[in-house]
Amino acid sequence: MAPPPPSPSMAPPGPIHSAPGLPDTCALLQPPAAAAAASMSGPAAETPSAIQICRIMRPDDANVAGNVHGGTILKMIEEAGAIISTRHCNSQNGERCVAALARVERTDFLSPMCIGEVAHVSAGITYTSKHSVEVQVNVLSENILTGTKKLTNKATLWYVPLSLKNVDKVLEVPPVVYSRQEQEEEGRKRYEAQKLERMETKWRNGDIVQPVLNPEPNTVSYSQSSLIHLVGPSDCTLHGFVHGGVTMKLMDEVAGIVAARHCKTNIVTASVDAINFHDKIRKGCVITISGRMTFTSNKSMEIEVLVDADPVVDNSQKRYRAASAFFTYVSLSQEGKPLPVPQLVPETEDEKKRFEEGKGRYLQMKAKRQGQVEPQP
């Protein structure tokens, strides 16, 4: 019997371009296992082909230096994942449903994207469990003047199907037939790993960010920031829940403010640790997105972002933690070169503890990149 799935953030498909399959000229856009996923067939379910979303980056997508916001890219990634997972979950006769975002694995921003470039976002289903769908997404940037394309992002997202009749009811996912047994085994390992990591984040759900008067420079309190947002219809699905991509975009904005306050330079998103959606956010809620610096290395900053929802029109429910994640930023010069980061000065015991935890995450990821340890599935 499968364990109960997470309470997700609703994220059904929106009116964006997709195609039934990728042409040969777009082979580079396929996620790592898209070809394998496309070959899954059989009586159990016909897996949808990989889809592609393309959009030119506009000035309102970027910061003052012309670099596209990480949140804009995250929102596009989530839209692509929502489309293909919702299609798959409705591929068999049965109760209609919408795929809701439950978790985004670590996402690295490999190359900056600029105004005027075209973002190519491709998504493919790579694994299904009883109640969840794994989607892998690749993002390329294209300079339409030169035709040059660069890989900017790789991401893995997990969705669960929620009934349209009762959005609190999680339905079963149509199974897929794998062309090789190893594909299913590898997917199951990834599923178990993310489930365990998601459960480990719940201990932080009571943590809050407290304001401090007259903080000193380079301290946690000096750069910490919060954004209060009333959830309106444009933020939500037709069923009254916030799109996961909207939440991620707001989280990136707050993290960017924290990083800019700390460095007072141009900053860009370098990576996002796993984003966990602990509960749905309903239309009419007031959400508070809080960010605080947790760790600095010589050239990077880790910012913890917490999303709390306050259902002000529903007295039966109290304020709750809706999502959480760690964002990593780097500081850039006017020429786009990395700059040294002012070192964080933790003051309280809790801040010192978070600093050491952040240092541990930094060293672990650095070791993975250098090939000193095997990456987790």
Side-chain angles (χ1 to χ4, degrees), residues 31-77:
S39 67
M40 299 172 192
S41 61
E46 182 179 349
T47 304
S49 300
I51 67 166
Q52 178 186 344
I53 300 170
C54 300
R55 183 165 76 79
I56 193 166
M57 296 293 99
R58 304 182 299 268
D60 57 346
D61 294 317
N63 61 18
V64 293
N67 301 122
V68 174
H69 292 293
T72 300
I73 304 301
L74 289 171
K75 189 171 184 289
M76 293 185 67
I77 288 173

Short mmCIF file of all heavy atoms in Angstrom, two decimals, residues 31-77:
data_model
loop_
_atom_site.label_atom_id
_atom_site.label_comp_id
_atom_site.label_asym_id
_atom_site.label_seq_id
_atom_site.Cartn_x
_atom_site.Cartn_y
_atom_site.Cartn_z
N PRO A 31 14.02 16.11 -22.11
CA PRO A 31 14.60 15.81 -20.81
C PRO A 31 15.34 14.49 -20.86
O PRO A 31 15.15 13.70 -21.78
CB PRO A 31 13.38 15.76 -19.87
CG PRO A 31 12.22 15.54 -20.76
CD PRO A 31 12.56 16.15 -22.08
N PRO A 32 16.21 14.22 -19.88
CA PRO A 32 17.08 13.06 -19.93
C PRO A 32 16.38 11.75 -20.24
O PRO A 32 16.93 10.90 -20.92
CB PRO A 32 17.70 13.03 -18.54
CG PRO A 32 17.67 14.44 -18.09
CD PRO A 32 16.43 15.03 -18.69
N ALA A 33 15.17 11.59 -19.73
CA ALA A 33 14.49 10.32 -19.95
C ALA A 33 13.25 10.47 -20.82
O ALA A 33 12.38 9.62 -20.83
CB ALA A 33 14.11 9.69 -18.60
N ALA A 34 13.17 11.58 -21.58
CA ALA A 34 11.97 11.81 -22.38
C ALA A 34 11.79 10.75 -23.44
O ALA A 34 10.68 10.29 -23.71
CB ALA A 34 12.03 13.19 -23.02
N ALA A 35 12.89 10.36 -24.09
CA ALA A 35 12.79 9.36 -25.14
C ALA A 35 12.29 8.04 -24.58
O ALA A 35 11.46 7.36 -25.17
CB ALA A 35 14.15 9.17 -25.79
N ALA A 36 12.80 7.69 -23.39
CA ALA A 36 12.34 6.45 -22.75
C ALA A 36 10.88 6.55 -22.38
O ALA A 36 10.11 5.60 -22.55
CB ALA A 36 13.19 6.15 -21.52
N ALA A 37 10.48 7.72 -21.86
CA ALA A 37 9.09 7.89 -21.45
C ALA A 37 8.18 7.81 -22.67
O ALA A 37 7.09 7.24 -22.61
CB ALA A 37 8.91 9.23 -20.72
N ALA A 38 8.61 8.40 -23.79
CA ALA A 38 7.78 8.40 -24.97
C ALA A 38 7.58 7.01 -25.53
O ALA A 38 6.60 6.72 -26.21
CB ALA A 38 8.41 9.30 -26.03
N SER A 39 8.51 6.10 -25.22
CA SER A 39 8.42 4.75 -25.74
C SER A 39 7.57 3.83 -24.88
O SER A 39 7.32 2.69 -25.24
CB SER A 39 9.83 4.14 -25.88
OG SER A 39 10.40 3.95 -24.60
N MET A 40 7.13 4.32 -23.70
CA MET A 40 6.30 3.50 -22.82
C MET A 40 4.91 3.35 -23.46
O MET A 40 4.27 4.33 -23.81
CB MET A 40 6.15 4.16 -21.45
CG MET A 40 7.46 4.35 -20.71
SD MET A 40 7.18 5.35 -19.24
CE MET A 40 8.85 5.72 -18.77
N SER A 41 4.45 2.15 -23.62
CA SER A 41 3.15 1.93 -24.20
C SER A 41 2.60 0.61 -23.71
O SER A 41 3.30 -0.20 -23.13
CB SER A 41 3.24 1.94 -25.73
OG SER A 41 4.09 0.89 -26.17
N GLY A 42 1.33 0.40 -23.97
CA GLY A 42 0.73 -0.85 -23.55
C GLY A 42 -0.69 -0.62 -23.09
O GLY A 42 -1.19 0.51 -23.08
N PRO A 43 -1.36 -1.64 -22.65
CA PRO A 43 -2.75 -1.51 -22.24
C PRO A 43 -2.94 -0.70 -20.99
O PRO A 43 -4.01 -0.19 -20.73
CB PRO A 43 -3.19 -2.97 -22.02
CG PRO A 43 -1.91 -3.71 -21.72
CD PRO A 43 -0.86 -3.02 -22.54
N ALA A 44 -1.88 -0.57 -20.18
CA ALA A 44 -2.04 0.16 -18.91
C ALA A 44 -2.32 1.63 -19.16
O ALA A 44 -3.22 2.20 -18.60
CB ALA A 44 -0.78 0.00 -18.06
N ALA A 45 -1.52 2.28 -20.00
CA ALA A 45 -1.71 3.70 -20.29
C ALA A 45 -0.83 4.07 -21.46
O ALA A 45 0.25 3.53 -21.64
CB ALA A 45 -1.36 4.55 -19.07
N GLU A 46 -1.33 5.04 -22.23
CA GLU A 46 -0.53 5.57 -23.32
C GLU A 46 0.10 6.87 -22.85
O GLU A 46 -0.58 7.88 -22.67
CB GLU A 46 -1.39 5.81 -24.57
CG GLU A 46 -0.59 6.32 -25.75
CD GLU A 46 -1.47 6.52 -26.97
OE1 GLU A 46 -2.62 6.06 -26.94
OE2 GLU A 46 -0.98 7.13 -27.94
N THR A 47 1.39 6.86 -22.58
CA THR A 47 2.06 8.01 -22.01
C THR A 47 2.10 9.16 -23.01
O THR A 47 2.50 8.97 -24.16
CB THR A 47 3.49 7.65 -21.61
OG1 THR A 47 3.44 6.55 -20.73
CG2 THR A 47 4.18 8.82 -20.93
N PRO A 48 1.70 10.37 -22.63
CA PRO A 48 1.75 11.51 -23.54
C PRO A 48 3.18 11.78 -23.99
O PRO A 48 4.14 11.55 -23.26
CB PRO A 48 1.21 12.66 -22.69
CG PRO A 48 0.48 12.02 -21.56
CD PRO A 48 1.16 10.71 -21.31
N SER A 49 3.32 12.26 -25.23
CA SER A 49 4.64 12.61 -25.73
C SER A 49 5.18 13.81 -24.98
O SER A 49 4.44 14.54 -24.32
CB SER A 49 4.56 12.92 -27.23
OG SER A 49 4.08 11.82 -27.95
N ALA A 50 6.48 14.04 -25.08
CA ALA A 50 7.06 15.23 -24.47
C ALA A 50 6.47 16.48 -25.11
O ALA A 50 6.12 16.49 -26.29
CB ALA A 50 8.57 15.21 -24.66
N ILE A 51 6.32 17.52 -24.32
CA ILE A 51 5.76 18.77 -24.84
C ILE A 51 6.82 19.86 -24.77
O ILE A 51 7.81 19.76 -24.04
CB ILE A 51 4.51 19.22 -24.05
CG1 ILE A 51 4.89 19.59 -22.60
CG2 ILE A 51 3.44 18.14 -24.08
CD1 ILE A 51 3.79 20.34 -21.89
N GLN A 52 6.60 20.91 -25.55
CA GLN A 52 7.54 22.03 -25.59
C GLN A 52 6.79 23.34 -25.50
O GLN A 52 5.75 23.52 -26.15
CB GLN A 52 8.35 21.98 -26.89
CG GLN A 52 9.32 23.14 -27.03
CD GLN A 52 10.01 23.16 -28.38
OE1 GLN A 52 9.99 22.16 -29.10
NE2 GLN A 52 10.60 24.26 -28.74
N ILE A 53 7.29 24.25 -24.68
CA ILE A 53 6.75 25.61 -24.56
C ILE A 53 7.85 26.58 -24.97
O ILE A 53 9.00 26.45 -24.53
CB ILE A 53 6.33 25.93 -23.11
CG1 ILE A 53 5.24 24.96 -22.65
CG2 ILE A 53 5.85 27.36 -22.98
CD1 ILE A 53 4.93 25.05 -21.18
N CYS A 54 7.52 27.54 -25.81
CA CYS A 54 8.50 28.55 -26.25
C CYS A 54 7.94 29.94 -25.99
O CYS A 54 6.76 30.20 -26.28
CB CYS A 54 8.83 28.40 -27.73
SG CYS A 54 9.51 26.81 -28.19
N ARG A 55 8.78 30.82 -25.47
CA ARG A 55 8.34 32.21 -25.24
C ARG A 55 9.54 33.13 -25.23
O ARG A 55 10.59 32.80 -24.66
CB ARG A 55 7.58 32.34 -23.92
CG ARG A 55 7.04 33.74 -23.66
CD ARG A 55 6.00 33.74 -22.57
NE ARG A 55 6.55 33.62 -21.24
CZ ARG A 55 7.12 34.64 -20.57
NH1 ARG A 55 7.27 35.83 -21.12
NH2 ARG A 55 7.57 34.44 -19.35
N ILE A 56 9.40 34.30 -25.86
CA ILE A 56 10.48 35.28 -25.86
C ILE A 56 10.48 36.02 -24.52
O ILE A 56 9.42 36.29 -23.94
CB ILE A 56 10.33 36.27 -27.03
CG1 ILE A 56 11.63 37.08 -27.22
CG2 ILE A 56 9.13 37.20 -26.84
CD1 ILE A 56 11.70 37.84 -28.52
N MET A 57 11.66 36.31 -24.01
CA MET A 57 11.79 36.98 -22.72
C MET A 57 11.67 38.49 -22.89
O MET A 57 12.39 39.10 -23.69
CB MET A 57 13.14 36.63 -22.08
CG MET A 57 13.30 35.16 -21.73
SD MET A 57 12.21 34.59 -20.39
CE MET A 57 10.87 33.82 -21.34
N ARG A 58 10.77 39.08 -22.14
CA ARG A 58 10.47 40.51 -22.23
C ARG A 58 11.14 41.28 -21.09
O ARG A 58 11.59 40.69 -20.11
CB ARG A 58 8.96 40.71 -22.18
CG ARG A 58 8.18 39.95 -23.26
CD ARG A 58 6.69 40.25 -23.15
NE ARG A 58 6.17 39.84 -21.86
CZ ARG A 58 5.64 38.66 -21.61
NH1 ARG A 58 5.60 37.74 -22.55
NH2 ARG A 58 5.17 38.38 -20.41
N PRO A 59 11.16 42.62 -21.19
CA PRO A 59 11.78 43.42 -20.12
C PRO A 59 11.18 43.18 -18.74
O PRO A 59 11.89 43.21 -17.74
CB PRO A 59 11.55 44.87 -20.58
CG PRO A 59 11.51 44.77 -22.08
CD PRO A 59 10.84 43.46 -22.37
N ASP A 60 9.86 42.92 -18.68
CA ASP A 60 9.25 42.70 -17.36
C ASP A 60 9.55 41.32 -16.80
O ASP A 60 9.15 40.99 -15.68
CB ASP A 60 7.74 42.92 -17.40
CG ASP A 60 7.03 42.04 -18.42
OD1 ASP A 60 7.73 41.44 -19.26
OD2 ASP A 60 5.79 41.96 -18.37
N ASP A 61 10.29 40.48 -17.56
CA ASP A 61 10.72 39.17 -17.05
C ASP A 61 12.08 39.25 -16.36
O ASP A 61 12.54 38.25 -15.79
CB ASP A 61 10.83 38.16 -18.20
CG ASP A 61 9.49 37.83 -18.83
OD1 ASP A 61 8.53 37.64 -18.06
OD2 ASP A 61 9.41 37.77 -20.07
N ALA A 62 12.76 40.40 -16.43
CA ALA A 62 14.16 40.47 -16.02
C ALA A 62 14.39 41.56 -14.98
O ALA A 62 13.53 42.41 -14.72
CB ALA A 62 15.04 40.72 -17.25
N ASN A 63 15.60 41.53 -14.39
CA ASN A 63 16.00 42.57 -13.44
C ASN A 63 16.61 43.75 -14.20
O ASN A 63 16.65 43.76 -15.44
CB ASN A 63 16.97 42.00 -12.40
CG ASN A 63 18.26 41.46 -13.03
OD1 ASN A 63 18.61 41.79 -14.17
ND2 ASN A 63 18.98 40.64 -12.29
N VAL A 64 17.11 44.72 -13.46
CA VAL A 64 17.62 45.94 -14.09
C VAL A 64 18.85 45.69 -14.94
O VAL A 64 19.18 46.48 -15.82
CB VAL A 64 17.93 47.01 -13.02
CG1 VAL A 64 16.65 47.49 -12.35
CG2 VAL A 64 18.92 46.48 -11.98
N ALA A 65 19.54 44.58 -14.69
CA ALA A 65 20.74 44.25 -15.47
C ALA A 65 20.40 43.46 -16.73
O ALA A 65 21.30 43.13 -17.52
CB ALA A 65 21.72 43.47 -14.62
N GLY A 66 19.11 43.12 -16.92
CA GLY A 66 18.71 42.38 -18.11
C GLY A 66 18.70 40.88 -17.96
O GLY A 66 18.42 40.17 -18.92
N ASN A 67 19.02 40.37 -16.75
CA ASN A 67 18.99 38.92 -16.51
C ASN A 67 17.58 38.49 -16.13
O ASN A 67 16.95 39.10 -15.26
CB ASN A 67 19.96 38.53 -15.39
CG ASN A 67 21.39 38.92 -15.69
OD1 ASN A 67 22.02 39.66 -14.95
ND2 ASN A 67 21.92 38.43 -16.80
N VAL A 68 17.09 37.45 -16.78
CA VAL A 68 15.74 36.96 -16.50
C VAL A 68 15.66 36.42 -15.08
O VAL A 68 16.55 35.70 -14.62
CB VAL A 68 15.34 35.86 -17.52
CG1 VAL A 68 14.00 35.24 -17.15
CG2 VAL A 68 15.28 36.45 -18.92
N HIS A 69 14.59 36.79 -14.37
CA HIS A 69 14.39 36.32 -12.99
C HIS A 69 14.29 34.80 -12.96
O HIS A 69 13.64 34.18 -13.81
CB HIS A 69 13.10 36.90 -12.41
CG HIS A 69 13.15 38.38 -12.17
ND1 HIS A 69 13.97 38.95 -11.22
CD2 HIS A 69 12.48 39.39 -12.75
CE1 HIS A 69 13.80 40.26 -11.23
NE2 HIS A 69 12.90 40.55 -12.14
N GLY A 70 14.92 34.20 -11.94
CA GLY A 70 14.79 32.77 -11.77
C GLY A 70 13.35 32.34 -11.58
O GLY A 70 12.95 31.26 -12.03
N GLY A 71 12.56 33.17 -10.93
CA GLY A 71 11.16 32.83 -10.70
C GLY A 71 10.36 32.73 -11.99
O GLY A 71 9.42 31.94 -12.09
N THR A 72 10.73 33.54 -12.99
CA THR A 72 10.06 33.46 -14.29
C THR A 72 10.31 32.11 -14.94
O THR A 72 9.41 31.48 -15.49
CB THR A 72 10.55 34.60 -15.21
OG1 THR A 72 10.25 35.87 -14.61
CG2 THR A 72 9.89 34.52 -16.58
N ILE A 73 11.57 31.64 -14.86
CA ILE A 73 11.91 30.34 -15.42
C ILE A 73 11.21 29.23 -14.65
O ILE A 73 10.66 28.28 -15.23
CB ILE A 73 13.43 30.12 -15.40
CG1 ILE A 73 14.14 31.26 -16.14
CG2 ILE A 73 13.78 28.77 -16.01
CD1 ILE A 73 13.74 31.40 -17.58
N LEU A 74 11.19 29.32 -13.32
CA LEU A 74 10.53 28.31 -12.50
C LEU A 74 9.04 28.22 -12.83
O LEU A 74 8.46 27.12 -12.88
CB LEU A 74 10.71 28.62 -11.02
CG LEU A 74 12.12 28.43 -10.44
CD1 LEU A 74 12.19 28.98 -9.02
CD2 LEU A 74 12.52 26.96 -10.45
N LYS A 75 8.42 29.36 -13.08
CA LYS A 75 6.99 29.38 -13.41
C LYS A 75 6.73 28.67 -14.74
O LYS A 75 5.77 27.90 -14.88
CB LYS A 75 6.49 30.82 -13.47
CG LYS A 75 4.98 30.97 -13.60
CD LYS A 75 4.58 32.43 -13.43
CE LYS A 75 3.06 32.58 -13.46
NZ LYS A 75 2.50 32.34 -14.81
N MET A 76 7.59 28.89 -15.73
CA MET A 76 7.44 28.22 -17.02
C MET A 76 7.67 26.72 -16.89
O MET A 76 6.97 25.90 -17.51
CB MET A 76 8.39 28.82 -18.04
CG MET A 76 8.08 30.25 -18.43
SD MET A 76 9.17 30.85 -19.76
CE MET A 76 8.63 29.81 -21.13
N ILE A 77 8.66 26.33 -16.08
CA ILE A 77 8.93 24.92 -15.84
C ILE A 77 7.69 24.24 -15.25
O ILE A 77 7.29 23.14 -15.67
CB ILE A 77 10.14 24.75 -14.90
CG1 ILE A 77 11.45 25.11 -15.63
CG2 ILE A 77 10.21 23.34 -14.33
CD1 ILE A 77 12.66 25.13 -14.74
#
